[in-house]
Amino acid sequence: MSHLCLVTDIKDGQAKAFPHPSATEDRDLIIVRRGLNVYGYVNRCPHAGTNLNWQEDEFMTDDENYLMCFTHGALFEPDTGKCVAGPCAGAGLSEVKLEVENGKVYYSG
């Protein structure tokens, strides 16, 4: 397992990018925090193949309810990665497995 961050490094309701620990992956990870829960995805829109963020760590809609692809406006559920609106509706972000131990977030595959 690779240590990525502390849960508290991410503001509740927000998401941050972290370098992907796998040597075969060239995209960052997105880690979303909801309370003490975290969810991880590869930073790649399933429709356009672009990064979701338009500026550093800008992933969430203003109301913090969805991750948003700033290329085409697709909306993704933070806890499932499922696209619920936009050109890739029904598709989803590529999930990565995370584990939390003592407030530390680890990439586990």
Side-chain angles (χ1 to χ4, degrees):
M1 288 194 309
S2 298
H3 178 255
L4 298 170
C5 64
L6 299 174
V7 171
T8 55
D9 289 339
I10 306 165
K11 182 182 172 217
D12 192 14
Q14 290 294 310
K16 284 185 82 168
F18 294 90
H20 200 298
S22 173
T24 61
E25 182 59 61
D26 64 346
R27 297 291 180 112
D28 287 340
L29 298 179
I30 302 168
I31 301 178
V32 184
R33 178 179 171 199
R34 290 284 190 248
L36 296 177
N37 296 313
V38 292
Y39 306 93
Y41 307 100
V42 175
N43 189 6
R44 182 184 300 116
C45 176
H47 170 249
T50 59
N51 289 341
L52 267 61
N53 54 315
W54 63 281
Q55 287 185 345
E56 185 176 346
D57 297 329
E58 293 289 332
F59 294 100
M60 304 302 293
T61 55
D62 289 340
D63 60 10
E64 299 181 344
N65 286 328
Y66 298 98
L67 289 157
M68 185 168 95
C69 175
F70 286 91
T71 302
H72 292 101
L75 300 177
F76 302 88
E77 295 177 335
D79 57 340
T80 67
K82 181 180 177 185
C83 183
V84 295
C88 55
L93 299 172
S94 296
E95 184 178 5
V96 295
K97 295 183 188 236
L98 303 176
E99 291 187 28
V100 177
E101 291 180 16
N102 299 319
K104 295 179 181 178
V105 180
Y106 296 91
Y107 169 78
S108 61

